[in-house]
Amino acid sequence: MLRKLQEKLFHKLLRDHRNWQKAVSDVLRNRVEDLTDELEERLRQHWPRKGRTEVDQKQPRVRELNAHNEKLQRHVRSVARRDKQHGERHAAVLKECRDHIDAYSAKMQGLQAKLPLAVNLAALQGLLTKAKKETDTFQRECLALNSKLRPFVLNEPAKLAQSNANFLKVCATFPEGDDTDSGVASGDYNPEELQEIKEVLEAATQKVQDSVEGRNTRFQELNDARKEACSALDVFTANFQDCLKALSMSKGIGQKYGAPRRNAQERLRSLVTLSDREAEEREADLHELVELLQQTPGTLPENLSRPILAPVARRRGERASSAARVPPLSECVRRCIFRLQVKLHRRAEFLQQLRRNARKGVGEPETQLPMELEEADFNDEAPVTLDESNDGTESDPNKGEVESDIPPVDRSVFLSSVMQACTDCENETKELYRKEGMEETVPESLKSWLVEQRRWAKEQRLRAAADLKRQVQWFRSLLPKLSELIMVDVAARTRARMTRRSGKLAKSLDRRLKLWEAAKAQHTVALKPRLASPNQAEELRLLVEKEATRSQEVLDAVGKTEVKVVAELRDATQEFKRRIVHNATALVQLLDRCLDAEDFKPLRFEDEDILLTERGHGLERGSSEYEEVANEVKALTAKNGAVTLRERPLDELQLGLSGRLLRAAPGLETKNSSFASGDQVEVKVQLSSRHGAPTYSPGDVVKVHTPHLVSSIPQRYAGTKSDATSFRVVEYRNADGTVLVDVSGAGARETARSPASANTVVRNGPYEVPEQLICGENDLFIPGVVVNRKESGVRNALNAGLNFKYDVEFEKAHASLRRLRRKERRVGRDGE
């Protein structure tokens, strides 16, 4: 073990020695190389000092100075080149701006040349709008072009100046770059050299500023040219005003010279609006009568849309609470009939639809409104006496409540107001021209416009007259039911009053009879067998006397009550007689004054009254000029006041009726639902619908005209008469002109067993039926003849009647017996 330890120790010492020898050898070798290099460097430094200075100091500095100069020249040339490019691009944008100015000036000159050629105000305003739009577009485009010019006078020169500053900033001098502590290389620029560089850069910057000044000058010239170009709008506006004034004066248009036209248009529209409002009020009056028909006779009206006495309260200036009293139903009906007949009469006069009397002067209607229509006695309780000296008319010495709730109105007719508005327009135009120092004349365009407005007013009058005729027909159809309602109400109220009074007497007698029956019961109880004894004769006698007295009292009370009841019946009979005579007399007078369709002239666009009102406006009645116009109108018209057309006077003619309103005349029914000229037809109207247009609601019970000609209806419903089966409306398809109906009213799903076979199931509907074949409860059919047919522009497979529109001529109305008798009474009263 010691030997091994010895060997290991010797090995380690030998190994360490070898490593030390190797390290020493390496160090010696490295030091030899370093000493050799140091020797060579010392030998080289023994060269001459001048050459060394030339090589080490002068030549590198010369190269640095040349590099500095070349760098400066390159920078200056770069700045000059970029400035030149900026100038060229600026000049190109300036050329674009000047071309833009020339284009705008050319457009404005073109628009200005069109001003004298404008024929109306719309064309002038269109040119002005275009000019303003072009100017606005020009200004916006100028702003866009300015955004292109702005960089060459602001941003780009600033960049060049900044590049010079940056160049000078990177040129460090010797002291500025001497930083031996940080080990950074020193600067290579001399302060004198840096001053020269700064002067060169300042000269380059000045050249850029001179270029910028030149660009600013050219930009200012450009702005001056733009302002001069934009001044063309002022010149254009001045020329526009001159042309507008000339056009306005020549045609009567514009804010100043068109004021008479606007005033006339506003008056005409107000007149038509007033006429439509009156038509709506008459419609409300008719619906008020319908509401009264739904009331129960003998009771006070309930749930009315407006108080019956409201017009009376307004006329008397009383408060609204005074109109809260509800009169009897008969009085309400007579009041409403009176008001409506006066309003309808005045509206007929306003629309010039009343017939004329050839014996009277031209322009005087045959059916004059009597003065007694202005006031009427509506006191339902007043006694009625007949004054034979007053032609059988009603007289009431104790006059009760008198109503004249229809205020006096202007009796001028519709067309007279239209002519007055047109005349005022002409006078205002002449006065305006006179103030301008021009000739007092009316422009041709204004004359044409006034003619067109008069034609439009005639169309509106004709439309209103047709609606008025429908309202009168509806009013006449309600009068029989209203008359019956008045009589039934008077009888019901009298019966109710008699029943009430008789009931009071009966109740009084019943109370007394109960007492007498109680006394009789006591007497019956007191009548015992012991009273048969002679000893009780006196008591029996007293009991019999009491019973006899009671019986006599009953007989006397019953007799007196019977007398009172008979007296009440007599009084009720007399009261009923007074009331029924009073109401019947007043009602007959009201009905005799009511208009009907026969009192109206045929619906025509022009007739003698219309032409005379139009041509004789402004002339004094009875003057020679007026008589000359009247004779001229008579020469232009045929008999009955109809304008002569198609070699004969037209009767009432309606144009453009839809095929959904026409059906074939009875006996001429065919499956073809279209008609040709000369075919006899019937036109359907509904008096309760505005303008007579038929409408149907789900659940309405209707009939089908000629159901055997409707393909959708089974043959089992096609009877010998048109009303063989009642149908119920399921749906009204206004767009298709068809009505969906069924038999049971339960809809399309309901079915029934066929009577022929118990196992066969058939449908009861619904069926599609053309509207013209539907007969409603309120439908009326007026006979006429087709004059002309034209295409409607639609194609309907369900209802071929919608494919055409027809001009239908109706038969001439004949004077009724009532109207002839009224004429006789008037003639007798006037003593002719």
Side-chain angles (χ1 to χ4, degrees), residues 292 298-301 308 325-335 378 380-381 489-490 493 579:
L292 293 176
T299 60
L300 295 179
I308 296 296
R325 183 182 71 86
V326 180
L329 182 58
S330 60
E331 180 180 349
C332 293
V333 173
R334 287 190 290 112
R335 284 182 183 274
F378 293 101
D380 193 61
E381 301 293 339
D489 178 69
V490 171
R493 286 192 290 112
R579 288 187 176 183

Side-chain angles (χ1 to χ4, degrees), residues 3-18:
R3 184 176 295 279
K4 290 182 180 180
L5 180 60
Q6 183 179 4
E7 290 177 358
K8 288 182 179 180
L9 179 59
F10 286 150
H11 282 300
K12 182 178 183 306
L13 292 176
L14 291 175
R15 186 171 57 253
D16 292 340
H17 181 70
R18 285 194 298 270

Side-chain angles (χ1 to χ4, degrees), residues 295-322:
Q295 302 295 326
T296 303
T299 60
L300 295 179
E302 298 178 350
N303 301 324
L304 296 179
S305 58
R306 53 185 177 180
I308 296 296
L309 298 180
V312 183
R314 288 195 301 268
R315 177 183 58 83
R316 296 176 178 177
E318 299 174 353
R319 292 180 297 180
S321 58
S322 61

Side-chain angles (χ1 to χ4, degrees), residues 758-779:
N759 297 325
T760 305
V761 179
V762 296
R763 291 186 178 274
N764 288 336
Y767 312 118
E768 289 184 348
V769 181
E771 182 181 351
Q772 57 267 28
L773 300 182
I774 296 294
C775 305
E777 296 179 352
N778 298 325
D779 292 349

Side-chain angles (χ1 to χ4, degrees), residues 17-81:
H17 181 70
R18 285 194 298 270
N19 291 337
W20 176 79
Q21 286 181 347
K22 183 179 180 180
V24 170
S25 299
D26 292 337
V27 171
L28 291 176
R29 186 171 54 253
N30 292 332
R31 287 182 177 181
V32 169
E33 293 177 359
D34 293 339
L35 291 175
T36 301
D37 292 338
E38 184 178 357
L39 178 60
E40 290 178 356
E41 179 65 22
R42 288 182 178 183
L43 291 175
R44 187 180 62 79
Q45 289 181 357
H46 284 284
W47 295 350
R49 294 185 179 274
K50 181 178 180 181
R52 187 173 60 197
T53 303
E54 182 73 21
V55 174
D56 293 342
Q57 301 296 330
K58 183 177 180 180
Q59 290 181 3
R61 183 58 182 168
V62 170
R63 288 195 298 270
E64 288 178 357
L65 293 176
N66 291 335
H68 292 171
N69 186 35
E70 291 177 359
K71 181 179 178 181
L72 176 62
Q73 296 302 322
R74 286 196 303 270
H75 177 74
V76 172
R77 288 195 300 271
S78 176
V79 170
R81 183 177 65 255

Side-chain angles (χ1 to χ4, degrees), residues 107 256 366 564 638 702 723 803-804 808:
K107 290 180 181 179
K256 179 178 180 180
E366 178 185 5
K564 291 181 180 180
V702 297
D723 57 352
N803 300 337
F804 298 96
V808 180

